[in-house]
Amino acid sequence: MDAYNQTTVTHFILIGLSDRPEVRYPLFVVFTIIYQVTVGGNGAILLAIGTEKKLHTPMYYFLANLSLLDILCPSVTVPKMLENLLTEKHSISFTGCALQLYFLVALVGTEVFLLSVMAYDRYVAICFPLRYTLIITKVRCVQLTAGTWVAGFLNSLLHTVSTFCLSFCKSNQVNQYYCDIPPVVALSCSSTYVAEMLILVEAGILGSSAFLVIFISYFYIISTILKIQSAEGKRKAFSTCASHLLVVCLFGGTTIFTYVRPFSSQHSPARDRLISMLYGIITPMLNPMIYSMRNTEVKGAIRRLLYQKACLQQV
């Protein structure tokens, strides 16, 4: 490898959402509100599940982990994006970029695995209701959840190392408002074949496995529900998994579009930013609304929390 290819990049420039002042400031306000709603909504679900004893069940334990991920995931990218919108300071250090990419990919991967675990949980609950407590025990819940976090972070470590072992000697402008694998790899002046094949093959194996679990689980869930005689029974069964299925469609579709495709300079940067906003910012904001609107137990727990808070303020 010659000296030119060994040029060290000390920082990257993040291409923000817009450089026009008349657009940047309204965007700052909009995304600040979205971020606050996301943290507040998911935080409320975490508090409701933590304080309501009857919600201390496997389904809500997994939901609490999903809410935690939906707080952490935008927290990796949104604060830096807001800083760029407000100050026009678009630079990020090499180490900062690597850390941002690592935690983002880790959290996104963990959420994909967690959604498959949640699908399996609903499959057992609906298809084997009498054996549910024997199969999904507290120990099994902890094991499944820990497995999703470990798998997500180990998967991210592999991608981060393969990405930042590349040589960067061309432009240091990341064509995104945060550091992610496709736009960072596109800046490399060395061969990106291994990094590209790694994400395509690994995403194909791990991602396909996770979504295959979801597909098979819902195939049996729907088959079981259709065998229920009463309309009320079918409605209750569908209501327990409809929220999860909607979240899978929102999050899974945009994630697949972002990562499971060949890297190309012909991609539309504006379209890529829009898709990344959907799964990285908008979906985490919508998740608590989806789960709370369709779940009377969660709604009741949140109402009681708000009532208790109002009573304390009056004292």
Side-chain angles (χ1 to χ4, degrees), residues 86-315:
L86 196 60
T87 65
E88 297 186 56
K89 181 185 175 183
H90 293 178
S91 66
I92 184 171
S93 68
F94 187 91
T95 303
C97 184
L99 287 173
Q100 188 182 60
L101 184 148
Y102 171 70
F103 283 108
L104 176 67
V105 175
L107 294 168
V108 170
T110 301
E111 185 155 345
V112 170
F113 298 140
L114 181 64
L115 289 172
S116 66
V117 169
M118 293 174 75
Y120 172 72
D121 172 70
R122 292 299 83 207
Y123 158 72
V124 177
I126 293 174
C127 298
F128 305 99
L130 298 179
R131 297 172 56 194
Y132 178 75
T133 55
L134 298 176
I135 299 173
I136 309 295
T137 61
K138 289 183 179 180
V139 174
R140 184 66 54 81
C141 282
V142 173
Q143 290 173 339
L144 289 171
T145 306
T148 63
W149 286 84
V150 171
F153 277 77
L154 286 179
N155 171 61
S156 180
L157 180 62
L158 182 61
H159 286 299
T160 304
V161 170
S162 69
T163 298
F164 285 92
C165 279
L166 297 170
S167 298
F168 299 96
C169 57
K170 297 189 291 186
S171 171
N172 66 341
Q173 291 191 344
V174 179
N175 204 0
Q176 186 58 278
Y177 64 90
Y178 61 89
C179 290
D180 199 4
I181 298 173
V184 172
V185 168
L187 300 178
S188 175
C189 56
S190 58
S191 174
T192 61
Y193 179 79
V194 173
E196 291 187 23
M197 286 301 102
L198 181 64
I199 189 172
L200 288 174
V201 172
E202 193 177 353
I205 295 173
L206 296 180
S208 297
S209 298
F211 285 106
L212 187 62
V213 169
I214 294 171
F215 176 80
I216 293 174
S217 297
Y218 274 99
F219 175 80
Y220 284 106
I221 286 171
I222 293 171
S223 298
T224 302
I225 291 175
L226 292 176
K227 294 177 184 177
I228 298 175
Q229 299 298 322
S230 68
E232 182 64 17
K234 288 182 180 179
R235 188 192 65 80
K236 286 183 178 179
F238 269 120
S239 67
T240 62
C241 55
S243 299
H244 175 261
L245 191 57
L246 181 57
V247 169
V248 168
C249 293
L250 285 172
F251 183 80
T254 51
T255 304
I256 290 172
F257 182 86
T258 300
Y259 294 106
V260 189
R261 56 176 178 157
F263 298 173
S264 168
S265 59
Q266 296 180 350
H267 290 156
S268 166
R271 183 185 63 186
D272 289 348
R273 284 194 285 270
L274 175 61
I275 295 297
S276 63
M277 270 189 256
L278 286 176
Y279 81 81
I281 300 177
I282 305 301
T283 301
M285 179 189 69
L286 294 177
N287 284 354
M289 300 179 190
I290 293 170
Y291 277 100
S292 61
M293 282 191 301
R294 298 191 62 88
N295 192 304
T296 55
E297 291 181 330
V298 172
K299 281 194 292 187
I302 292 175
R303 284 198 197 100
R304 282 187 287 275
L305 270 178
L306 294 174
Y307 177 75
Q308 289 172 3
K309 183 178 179 180
C311 290
L312 288 173
Q313 289 177 344
Q314 292 176 357
V315 174

